[in-house]
């Protein structure tokens, strides 16, 4: 089996370590802006909890009959911290052992997890946006309240934004670099 | 408020007071009029003497006498109220006694300084060295010097006494007079460059003069008959300056006569340049008495946007909807009620009887900026509640006849504010209707 270049292993090592803070920082953020909220509302999704203004957002959501956003509803919070530790551990292992096939497996793990994460997040957004209480005070025919997967979207009086937060950027940035490193290694081989 | 001590002083009218600061810290200066001690037709009888007084009080000295036990105990009856921000509840204690210091018998506490004709404003400049008195009927503004006053006291440069209080010689305490300033001076505020701004009621103007030179620098008309005035932080050690606000006593033709009274009027001037400049003429309420302006940041950085429910220690708080309940205790009924957009918990109550005293303890469960709820119940004759986010407030209600009483939110809280209502059924006295409560059944 072919060995990885030294600088590749150093980059892998740094990227793996860079993902550690993602377990101690907000990974994703949902922002809401409206004229009467000049200070804005922000919900933070950490690897193990939700934080920020989700109580206030729940208070607003009850008008349109959206289900309450509660920590207990998300089994993901039990899994995600371990997943990030897996990214870190596998990255370190790959860097130390320095085998190309390990890097391939690593990239597959990262890509699969990423795909699952995007689908899971979209699915929750869909559920919250569409499963509305039929007795809600405000009902607008045909209106759903699914926030954007990423970017901005106007939902009634609120402009909703969905973006990676610091922890998320660390994971995404590291993963992108790791993929580039793999491509570079493949290119060099030829 | 709790009184540490009171001073027994001669029976004249005491008007306005300013505490000394910096150089004069430890002293307070009062304007006094009616040194004639008139008791009828004061308009004439209290305006006979050429000079009334500024009373200078050394309160640090008074404190010394107090600690030496020189005070007399007099019977009193006043409320000492203390608000506890953690329990959102006040305690009220009736105090039955106060310590009185008789300044006649306690040398060094109290002095009179003669002051031209019926002084009103008595203002201390930012350095604390100069005290400006405005004799309503005087032709000059006397400016006293604190250090000259202390020298006169040390040298006993007195002009006899008034009811046993030493009267300091006018010239000995005087630093200088502002000549021909205007008519009817009332109040003085200061900027950050050593200038004073005095309001003139009779000649309807603000006059700017220099505290050290006593020279008049500028004058600007007001609309009309200015009383108080305000330079931002102008009574402070470090005035902010920039503006002066005129608070007027008379309005006449400035605004539409909407009734029943004419609105009151005020003007905002810039004092940045050498000439004062009118920026805004605006209506206001009250008969504007005293105002102070401070940089907004001094307020906003201390702003409490809402009370945290976790630290609400009110005895009757219901911190979530599960804690909402109605409890009977003899003839007292306590309603532990929650309010959140846009419903009360409970909003249907039964089992209250005529003869009961009902206490609604309303906790606003909101944890967001500027979302208060109100609470009123029909038949509460003298008040309603305004409950701020995270706060608990209590209203006492004594229903006087059987029936169904509405209760409702009185502070616009959301698009469904008007739906934020409920009902209490009051049964006749002597019935045995059980307490029952609910929301959403």
């Amino acid at each position: 089996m072919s060995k990885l270049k030294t600088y590749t292993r150093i980059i892998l090592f740094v990227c793996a370590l860079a993902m550690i803070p993602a377990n101690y920082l907000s990974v994703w953020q949902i922002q809401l802006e409206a004229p009467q909220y000049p200070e804005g509302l922000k919900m933070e999704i950490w690897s193990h909890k939700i934080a920020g203004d989700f109580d206030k957002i729940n208070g607003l959501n009850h008008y349109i009959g959206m289900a309450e956003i509660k920590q207990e509803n998300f089994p993901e919070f039990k899994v995600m911290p371990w997943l990030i530790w897996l990214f870190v551990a596998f990255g370190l292992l790959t860097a130390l052992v320095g085998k190309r096939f390990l890097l391939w497996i690593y990239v597959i793990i990262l890509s699969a997890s990423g795909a699952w994460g995007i689908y899971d997040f979209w699915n929750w957004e869909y559920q919250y946006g569409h499963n509305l209480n039929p007795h809600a005070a405000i009902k607008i025919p045909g209106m759903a309240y699914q926030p954007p997967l990423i970017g901005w979207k106007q939902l009634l009086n609120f402009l909703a934004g969905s973006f990676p937060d610091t922890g998320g950027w660390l994971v995404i940035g590291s993963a992108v670099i790791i993929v580039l490193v793999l491509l570079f290694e493949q290119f060099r081989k030829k | 408020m709790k009184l540490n001590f009171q001073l027994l002083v001669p029976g004249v009218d005491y008007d306005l007071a300013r505490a000394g600061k910096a150089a004069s810290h430890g002293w307070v200066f009062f304007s006094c009029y009616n040194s004639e001690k008139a008791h009828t037709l004061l308009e004439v009888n209290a305006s006979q003497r050429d000079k009334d007084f500024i009373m200078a009080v050394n309160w640090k000295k008074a404190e010394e006498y107090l600690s030496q036990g020189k005070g007399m105990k007099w019977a009193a009856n006043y409320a000492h109220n203390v608000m506890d921000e953690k329990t959102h509840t006040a305690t009220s204690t009736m105090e039955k006694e106060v310590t009185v210091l008789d300044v006649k018998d306690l040398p060094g506490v109290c002095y009179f300084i003669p002051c031209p004709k019926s002084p009103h404003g008595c203002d201390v400049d930012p350095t604390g060295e100069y005290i400006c008195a405005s004799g309503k009927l005087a032709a000059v503004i006397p400016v006293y010097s604190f250090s000259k006053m202390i020298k006169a006291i040390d040298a006993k440069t007195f002009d006899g006494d008034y009811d046993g209080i030493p009267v300091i010689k006018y010239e000995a305490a005087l630093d200088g007079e502002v000549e021909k300033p205007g008519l009817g001076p009332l109040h003085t505020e200061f900027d950050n460059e050593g200038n004073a701004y005095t309001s003139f009621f009779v000649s309807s103007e603000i006059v700017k003069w220099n505290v050290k030179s006593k020279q008049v620098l500028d004058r600007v008309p007001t609309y009309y008959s200015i009383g108080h005035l305000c330079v931002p932080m102008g009574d402070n050690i470090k005035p902010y300056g920039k503006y002066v606000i005129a608070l007027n006593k008379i309005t006449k033709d400035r605004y539409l006569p909407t009734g029943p009274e004419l609105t009151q009027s005020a003007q905002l001037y810039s004092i940045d340049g050498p000439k004062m400049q009118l920026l805004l003429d605006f209506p206001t309420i009250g008969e504007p008495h005293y105002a102070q302006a401070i940089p907004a940041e001094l307020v906003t950085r201390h702003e409490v946007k809402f009370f945290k429910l976790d630290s609400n220690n009110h005895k009757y708080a219901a911190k979530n909807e599960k804690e909402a309940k109605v409890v009977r205790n003899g003839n007292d009924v306590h309603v532990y009620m929650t309010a959140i957009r846009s419903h009360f918990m409970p909003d249907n109550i039964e089992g209250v009887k005529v003869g009961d005293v009902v206490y609604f303890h309303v906790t606003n469960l909101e944890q967001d900026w500027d979302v208060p709820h109100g609470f009123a119940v029909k038949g509460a004759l003298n008040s309603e509640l305004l409950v701020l986010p995270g706060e608990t407030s209590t209203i006492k209600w004594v229903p006087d006849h059987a029936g169904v009483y509405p209760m409702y939110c009185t502070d616009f809280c959301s698009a469904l504010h008007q739906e934020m209502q409920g009902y209490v059924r009051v049964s006749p006295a002597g019935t045995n209707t059980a307490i029952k409560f609910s929301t959403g059944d």
Side-chain angles (χ1 to χ4, degrees):
Chain A
M1 288 303 269
S2 52
K3 282 285 258 187
L4 294 167
K5 300 230 173 299
T6 311
Y7 56 78
T8 298
R9 295 170 63 185
I10 293 169
I11 291 170
L12 281 176
F13 191 78
V14 171
C15 285
L17 291 181
M19 286 191 274
I20 294 175
N23 262 335
Y24 305 96
L25 292 168
S26 169
V27 173
W28 204 270
Q29 54 180 322
I30 305 252
Q31 295 179 27
L32 292 174
E33 289 181 8
Q36 69 271 44
Y37 283 89
E39 75 279 26
L41 291 172
K42 183 184 174 196
M43 181 172 93
E44 295 177 350
I45 302 168
W46 295 47
S47 65
H48 65 289
K49 65 171 183 183
I50 33 177
D53 301 316
F54 66 95
D55 275 336
K56 291 181 195 175
I57 294 171
N58 277 331
L60 293 165
N61 286 348
H62 99 277
Y63 291 113
I64 51 165
M66 191 183 280
E68 192 184 341
I69 301 167
K70 279 193 290 202
Q71 173 106 11
E72 307 89 270
N73 292 359
F74 302 97
E76 287 86 343
F77 288 131
K78 297 205 171 65
V79 181
M80 283 202 298
W82 294 110
L83 197 58
I84 288 172
W85 284 123
L86 174 71
F87 294 167
V88 174
F90 207 95
L92 293 178
L93 178 77
T94 310
L96 291 176
V97 177
K99 299 283 191 194
R100 187 182 300 271
F101 83 96
L102 279 176
L103 181 56
W104 269 105
I105 294 173
Y106 192 31
V107 167
I108 289 165
I109 291 173
L110 288 172
S111 312
S113 306
W116 169 77
I118 290 167
Y119 168 75
D120 189 59
F121 183 57
W122 177 87
N123 188 44
W124 275 119
E125 289 190 320
Y126 182 89
Q127 300 301 335
Y128 273 99
H130 290 80
N131 291 341
L132 305 172
N133 184 339
H135 300 295
I138 299 173
K139 274 182 289 191
I140 297 173
M143 182 77 193
Y145 304 93
Q146 183 174 359
L149 194 58
I150 187 160
W152 294 99
K153 185 176 170 189
Q154 188 75 34
L155 298 169
L156 297 188
N157 57 326
F158 278 96
L159 181 63
S162 174
F163 297 99
D165 213 338
T166 319
W169 282 121
L170 286 173
V171 173
I172 293 167
S174 300
V176 167
I177 292 169
I178 290 161
V179 171
L180 288 176
V181 160
L182 175 66
L183 293 176
F184 193 69
E185 282 275 343
Q186 291 298 107
F187 175 76
R188 293 273 299 198
K189 202 170 70 170
K190 285 171 191 163
Chain B
M1 184 172 72
K2 196 166 181 187
L3 299 177
N4 228 359
F5 61 87
Q6 282 188 314
L7 299 179
L8 182 62
V9 292
V12 303
D13 285 60
Y14 294 88
D15 195 2
L16 294 175
R18 284 283 194 198
K21 51 194 172 232
S24 51
H25 176 66
W27 291 71
V28 187
F29 304 92
F30 297 80
S31 57
C32 324
Y33 63 97
N34 192 12
S35 49
E36 296 86 351
K37 292 186 186 161
H39 62 278
T40 180
L41 201 62
L42 266 67
E43 168 179 36
V44 173
N45 292 336
S47 306
Q48 295 303 304
R49 289 167 60 116
D50 274 349
K51 290 198 167 63
D52 290 288
F53 297 118
I54 295 297
M55 182 171 76
V57 173
N58 185 342
W59 60 264
K60 288 258 188 204
K61 189 82 183 166
E63 273 189 339
E64 280 173 31
Y65 283 124
L66 183 76
S67 63
Q68 291 162 16
K70 294 287 169 71
M72 308 172 275
K73 300 283 185 196
W74 281 18
N77 193 29
Y78 71 94
H80 171 46
N81 300 331
V82 179
M83 180 71 188
D84 184 335
E85 299 289 347
K86 290 203 172 68
T87 61
H88 305 200
T89 310
T91 55
S92 188
T93 316
M94 292 309 294
E95 299 288 345
K96 298 294 182 191
E97 199 177 63
V98 68
T99 305
V100 175
L101 298 171
D102 187 344
V103 298
K104 274 203 315 291
D105 306 332
L106 303 170
V109 172
C110 203
Y111 299 92
F112 280 130
I113 313 170
C115 182
K117 287 229 140 178
S118 304
H120 184 51
C122 172
D123 299 289
V124 182
D125 91 310
T127 66
E129 166 64 11
Y130 300 102
I131 300 114
C132 314
S134 303
K136 285 180 293 200
L137 310 174
V140 296
I141 301 174
V143 181
Y144 303 100
S145 150
F146 178 74
S147 50
K148 285 186 182 172
M149 181 193 88
I150 294 295
K151 264 186 217 144
I153 290 169
D154 291 344
K156 296 202 180 340
T157 319
F158 295 145
D159 199 356
D161 71 289
Y162 182 91
D163 281 12
I165 311 295
V167 177
I168 298 171
K169 265 195 170 28
Y170 178 65
E171 293 76 13
L174 189 74
D175 192 64
E177 290 172 339
V178 182
E179 304 280 351
K180 293 197 180 139
L183 296 173
L186 289 186
H187 303 280
T188 301
E189 290 263 311
F190 304 90
D191 69 12
N192 47 338
E193 288 164 358
N195 300 311
Y197 300 79
T198 301
S199 62
F200 286 83
F201 175 80
V202 177
S203 52
S204 274
E205 59 187 339
I206 295 174
V207 173
K208 175 184 179 181
W209 51 277
N210 186 274
V211 176
K212 281 222 170 80
S213 74
K214 319 288 183 285
Q215 293 299 306
V216 171
L217 302 175
D218 189 22
R219 51 182 73 233
V220 69
T222 63
Y223 311 96
Y224 303 96
S225 294
I226 179 176
H228 286 260
L229 78 174
C230 159
V231 172
M233 296 177 80
D235 51 12
N236 204 273
I237 293 177
K238 286 184 187 148
Y240 180 75
K242 277 179 130 46
Y243 307 102
V244 62
I245 304 163
L247 303 162
N248 306 308
K249 304 285 187 197
I250 292 172
T251 306
K252 305 233 174 192
D253 60 348
R254 304 308 284 177
Y255 307 105
L256 284 176
T258 51
E261 213 213 341
L262 292 173
T263 185
Q264 307 289 330
S265 82
Q267 284 89 40
L268 173 71
Y269 301 87
S270 163
I271 57 171
D272 258 351
K275 298 292 285 178
M276 290 182 274
Q277 271 190 321
L278 179 64
L279 299 176
L280 180 68
D281 183 351
F282 60 100
T284 182
I285 54 162
E287 179 246 293
H289 253 92
Y290 187 72
Q292 191 46 271
I294 58 175
E297 188 266 336
L298 290 182
V299 177
T300 53
R301 74 170 182 224
H302 296 296
E303 182 181 18
V304 174
K305 288 184 172 158
F306 56 86
F307 297 104
K308 286 202 176 73
L309 272 175
D310 291 342
S311 19
N312 174 340
N313 291 328
H314 193 290
K315 194 179 162 194
Y316 294 97
K319 298 210 231 177
N320 58 60
E321 296 194 334
K322 287 191 191 82
E323 291 178 13
K325 60 186 173 186
V326 181
V327 178
R328 172 178 288 285
N329 181 11
N331 280 340
D332 289 346
V333 177
H334 290 273
V335 181
Y336 297 68
M337 182 179 268
T338 63
I340 193 163
R341 283 165 289 177
S342 286
H343 59 272
F344 293 111
M345 183 81 87
D347 66 5
N348 281 198
I349 299 171
E350 285 185 70
V352 175
K353 288 175 260 185
V354 173
D356 284 345
V357 176
V358 183
Y359 297 91
F360 290 97
H361 308 286
V362 184
T363 303
N364 181 346
L365 295 181
E366 307 284 354
Q367 293 287 273
D368 199 353
W369 190 13
D370 197 21
V371 192
H373 288 291
F375 179 82
V377 57
K378 198 177 178 193
L381 298 178
N382 61 356
S383 64
E384 58 183 68
L385 297 178
L386 177 67
V387 194
L388 288 149
E391 188 189 29
T392 304
S393 293
T394 300
I395 189 171
K396 179 179 159 185
W397 180 58
V398 186
D400 62 1
H401 60 270
V404 174
Y405 291 75
M407 52 189 185
Y408 46 94
C409 176
T410 51
D411 190 80
F412 197 99
C413 56
S414 80
L416 298 169
H417 158 67
Q418 281 157 299
E419 283 77 358
M420 191 164 174
Q421 52 177 280
Y423 298 91
V424 190
R425 184 177 147 216
V426 176
S427 307
T431 49
N432 50 9
T433 319
I435 292 280
K436 225 173 110 184
F437 56 91
S438 61
T439 290
D441 287 351

